[in-house]
Amino acid sequence: MRTRVIGTGRCLPETVVTNDDLSKIMDTSDEWISSRTGIKERRLVKTENTASMSVYAAQEAIKDAGIQPEDIDLIIVGTLTGDYVTPSTACEVQAAIGAVHAMAFDVNAACTGFIVALNTAHMYIQAGICRTALIIGAETLSKIMDWDDRGTCVLFGDGAGAAIVQSADTGILGLVQGADGTKGMSLACQDRDNHNPLVQSDRQLHYTSMNGQEVYKFAVTKVPECIHQVLDQANLTTEDVKYFILHQANIRIIQSVAKRLKVSEDKFPISLDHYGNISAASVPILLDEVNKKGLLQRGDKIVISGFGGGLTWGADVIEW
Ligand code: UT7
């Protein structure tokens, strides 16, 4: 029993913020951002939030899959920026789309969130506990950015991507996932302070901080390694793979991974130029773009890979 992707969807906020827009409100430039990251613009929420974008992306994926919300047994959202601590974003989606038969919960594996959500659903499907799942990666990263820290806030954006997966005789052919908590503080965002009667502390808001060079080094070594591992598991080589759909953090990371794998950059679709880094949402948004452009045929093999906060990483090889 395998797990096949049968539909995809995405939602991006309406408001486009270019590098030039940012250079009007902080000491940065299009030249710095474009040349170091490949990012030219990003979408930021004005009226949207994590749940509303998730719902839209989910409805697109349901339409693409040709199923009904009642057919869904499980909803998992990969996110670190839900609108509420509880209910989970997945429960909000369940209510909004009328997936009355679905169990629903969120997972937090930062930029690996969609991969971990997909693999968790795969385990449920393999165990015979469910047949059809809705997997979402969704983030409103703009709310956890320090807009006075030009080193981080220019890199990230908001959005959501979704996929419907179902038990089938083909689909996920191999998966790898891992974590190294010892390096967790290199990309961190502290939660709210505790104000119970025993704790004296100032009320502060906490924002994202990052050691960019440490995360960069981690990504360019770990991602090729886990892609080799997942291809070995499936008895495939890089030549068998039509597209490598990577987390969209930085064009230089993607170029370095392509070089280390000895694969043409043409096999690495890109969306970070328009959307920036959207953590758990990057992979499903790009997967939907590739799917909706009609670039995938039944039988094609693709690799998806996420990496980032935790630090965490993961890769799947999927037969379409
Ligand atoms: O999902 C995973 C998420 N994280 C990543 O993928 C991050 C991976 N790391 C990176 O992509 C890179 O490390 C960055 C793009 C984040 C930064 O590039 P860098 O070459 O490592 O730059 P840096 O942090 O060493 O900064 C170089 C200079 C500094 O100035 P000085 O000290 O040399 O005078 C910064 O203050 O660039 C300055 N700087 C900026 N200048 C203009 C930092 N941010 C900006 C900015 N605009 N936005």
Side-chain angles (χ1 to χ4, degrees):
M1 186 63 61
R2 300 203 190 272
T3 302
R4 204 179 138 226
V5 178
I6 61 165
T8 61
R10 67 181 184 274
C11 177
L12 278 310
E14 270 183 30
T15 309
V16 177
V17 177
T18 65
N19 294 343
D20 285 333
D21 293 332
L22 291 180
S23 70
K24 290 178 191 135
I25 56 168
M26 65 185 74
D27 182 14
T28 190
S29 63
D30 177 49
E31 199 283 324
W32 192 95
I33 303 171
S34 307
S35 62
R36 289 196 193 226
T37 70
I39 299 164
K40 297 188 186 309
E41 57 189 39
R42 72 286 294 138
R43 304 289 186 96
L44 301 184
V45 298
K46 236 182 193 172
T47 55
E48 307 88 345
N49 62 23
T50 301
S52 71
M53 294 187 290
S54 298
V55 169
Y56 187 95
Q59 286 167 334
E60 293 289 298
I62 288 167
K63 213 188 308 164
D64 190 40
I67 63 160
Q68 298 302 316
E70 299 80 17
D71 300 329
I72 298 168
D73 312 304
L74 176 66
I75 302 172
I76 310 180
V77 180
T79 186
L80 49 84
T81 50
D83 306 314
Y84 294 90
V85 175
T86 190
S88 64
T89 304
C91 283
E92 289 193 90
V93 171
Q94 190 232 22
I97 66 174
V100 290
H101 300 125
M103 169 50 182
F105 57 89
D106 292 355
V107 296
N108 175 351
C111 310
T112 317
F114 180 79
I115 309 288
V116 173
L118 173 66
N119 291 340
T120 305
H122 178 50
M123 307 304 166
Y124 273 74
I125 287 171
Q126 284 203 315
I129 297 167
C130 83
R131 178 167 180 267
T132 306
L134 165 61
I135 311 303
I136 299 171
E139 304 288 6
T140 307
L141 296 173
S142 59
K143 71 181 177 185
I144 59 164
M145 287 302 128
D146 177 352
W147 287 91
D148 290 326
D149 176 10
R150 64 178 183 172
T152 51
C153 70
V154 303
L155 306 173
F156 296 93
D158 302 330
I164 300 289
V165 299
Q166 200 166 59
S167 62
D169 53 10
T170 191
I172 295 176
L173 306 178
L175 67 92
V176 167
Q177 45 188 27
D180 179 2
T182 65
K183 299 204 179 77
M185 289 306 141
S186 56
L187 177 46
C189 182
Q190 193 182 321
D191 201 355
R192 67 180 72 183
D193 291 325
N194 190 340
H195 294 293
N196 83 30
L198 306 179
V199 180
Q200 300 290 321
S201 69
D202 296 335
R203 280 181 189 272
Q204 307 181 28
L205 291 173
H206 299 291
Y207 295 110
T208 304
S209 62
M210 183 172 68
N211 178 337
Q213 284 169 14
E214 192 164 324
V215 178
Y216 187 95
K217 273 185 245 149
F218 149 75
V220 297
T221 49
K222 193 50 91 176
V223 176
E225 188 183 305
C226 78
I227 289 177
H228 277 308
Q229 284 170 352
V230 85
L231 289 173
D232 286 350
Q233 247 184 52
N235 277 324
L236 296 172
T237 70
T238 51
E239 285 179 12
D240 299 313
V241 177
K242 187 160 185 193
Y243 293 115
F244 295 83
I245 296 180
L246 264 51
H247 169 49
Q248 301 286 294
N250 184 319
I251 192 74
R252 289 178 170 181
I253 293 177
I254 294 170
Q255 288 165 340
S256 169
V257 171
K259 198 168 165 200
R260 286 170 194 237
L261 291 175
K262 301 190 177 67
V263 171
S264 159
E265 284 175 34
D266 296 345
K267 284 190 172 189
F268 289 74
I270 299 295
S271 64
L272 61 83
D273 50 344
H274 293 304
Y275 305 141
N277 177 345
I278 326 179
S279 190
S282 284
V283 167
I285 287 172
L286 184 54
L287 181 63
D288 183 54
E289 287 195 341
V290 170
N291 180 29
K292 298 284 166 67
K293 281 181 189 158
L295 299 174
L296 294 172
Q297 316 299 327
R298 284 296 294 265
D300 284 344
K301 316 279 189 308
I302 59 168
V303 166
I304 61 172
S305 177
F307 52 89
L311 297 176
T312 57
W313 61 89
D316 283 39
V317 55
I318 300 172
E319 184 168 62
W320 198 250

